[in-house]
């Protein structure tokens, strides 16, 4: 369901030089497949997730999600495609500060253009242990609680592909397993492909497939 071919991405350094971050010959993920993406800090994991989600565009190469090469889309088309097909747990959460936990999850459904299912939204929040915090706004939630809201939001629109960037970085061991279970079970139930970036071996080891980006990225990031 996901196919990358000859994907290259560079950034412009503050001094104007070119900084190659990604050079990936081939990367593939099957329908409903689950994997962990590992690799040291700065090796390009978030950059790769952004390219797959269509948040940023590679300099060259193909990024096929389902039958569509999203590099051929305009930015507006990519935004729409992402809202409908992709769930994203941001490393920095990106919750909307003016809305409650429950409203943030409901907005995930609304952006996807799907139907607003309050019962499902509540159920998702309960599954990550936030049944008692539904009407709190992000500023009234702990960092780990915000992270769990963002996991619930990513599953809200029943995507085909879920990308989670360090979804357990800010939660304790108990909630870590709760978050991993919800991501894995939620994706398995709906045959959603799942890619989890993690620095936590206990999380990575739960996946049969563990890819180290440094092993298939030909751009060597200094
Ligand atoms: N907009 C940008 N301009 C210039 N360099 C950037 C930009 N964004 C990222 N980089 C550089 O690209 C490299 C990869 O960044 P990325 O965020 O993908 O790493 P990562 O593997 O997700 O790291 P971490 O595990 O710490 O989150 C870093 O060295 C970073 O400094
Ligand atoms: Mg990152």
């Amino acid at each position: 369901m996901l196919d990358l071919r000859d994907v290259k991405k560079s950034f412009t350094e503050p001094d104007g030089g070119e900084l190659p971050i990604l050079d990936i010959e081939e990367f593939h993920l099957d329908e409903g497949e689950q994997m962990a993406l590992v690799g040291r800090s700065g090796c390009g994991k978030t950059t790769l997730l952004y390219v797959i989600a269509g948040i940023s565009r590679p300099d060259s190469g193909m990024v096929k999600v389902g039958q569509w090469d999203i590099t051929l889309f305009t930015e507006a088309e990519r935004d729409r495609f992402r809202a409908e097909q992709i769930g994203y747990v941001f490393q920095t959460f990106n919750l909307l500060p003016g809305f409650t936990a429950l409203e943030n999850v409901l907005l995930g459904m609304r952006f996807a253009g799907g139907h607003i299912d309050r019962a499902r939204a509540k159920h998702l929040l309960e599954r990550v242990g936030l049944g008692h915090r539904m009407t709190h706004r992000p500023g009234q939630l702990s960092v780990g609680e915000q992270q769990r809201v963002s996991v619930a939001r990513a599953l809200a629109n029943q995507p085909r592909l879920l990308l989670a960037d360090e979804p357990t970085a800010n939660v304790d061991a108990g909630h870590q397993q709760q978050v991993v279970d919800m991501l894995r079970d939620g994706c398995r139930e709906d045959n959603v492909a799942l890619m989890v970036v993690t620095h936590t071996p206990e999380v990575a080891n739960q996946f049969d497939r563990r890819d180290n980006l440094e092993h298939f990225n030909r751009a060597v990031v200094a």
Side-chain angles (χ1 to χ4, degrees), residues 11-14 19 21 39-48 91 165-166 197 199 213 221-222:
F11 288 116
T12 308
E13 289 197 88
L19 183 65
I21 299 293
R40 73 190 155 86
S41 178
C43 77
K45 302 179 300 297
T46 297
T47 307
L48 175 59
Q91 202 167 6
D165 201 346
E166 295 267 18
V197 169
H199 285 293
L213 177 57
V221 185

Side-chain angles (χ1 to χ4, degrees), residues 2 49 52-53 86-90 154 161-165 193-195:
L2 175 67
L49 255 49
I52 293 171
I86 297 176
Y88 201 107
V89 180
F90 288 91
L161 170 64
L162 201 148
L163 306 169
D165 201 346
L194 172 67
M195 232 174 128

Side-chain angles (χ1 to χ4, degrees), residues 51-116:
V51 162
I52 293 171
I55 296 167
S56 61
R57 193 185 216 159
D59 304 327
S60 59
M62 180 189 88
V63 179
K64 223 169 159 194
V65 184
Q67 65 194 84
W68 298 276
D69 180 353
I70 62 167
T71 65
L72 305 176
F73 288 175
T74 63
E75 193 175 346
E77 287 168 337
R78 294 202 308 273
D79 288 346
R80 190 183 176 80
F81 184 80
R82 181 169 58 256
E84 289 171 1
Q85 310 264 345
I86 297 176
Y88 201 107
V89 180
F90 288 91
Q91 202 167 6
T92 48
F93 317 147
N94 289 12
L95 297 175
L96 295 167
F99 295 90
T100 67
L102 180 61
E103 287 164 348
N104 265 281
V105 176
L106 291 169
L107 282 166
M109 294 170 175
R110 169 127 184 242
F111 290 146
H115 108 116
I116 311 286

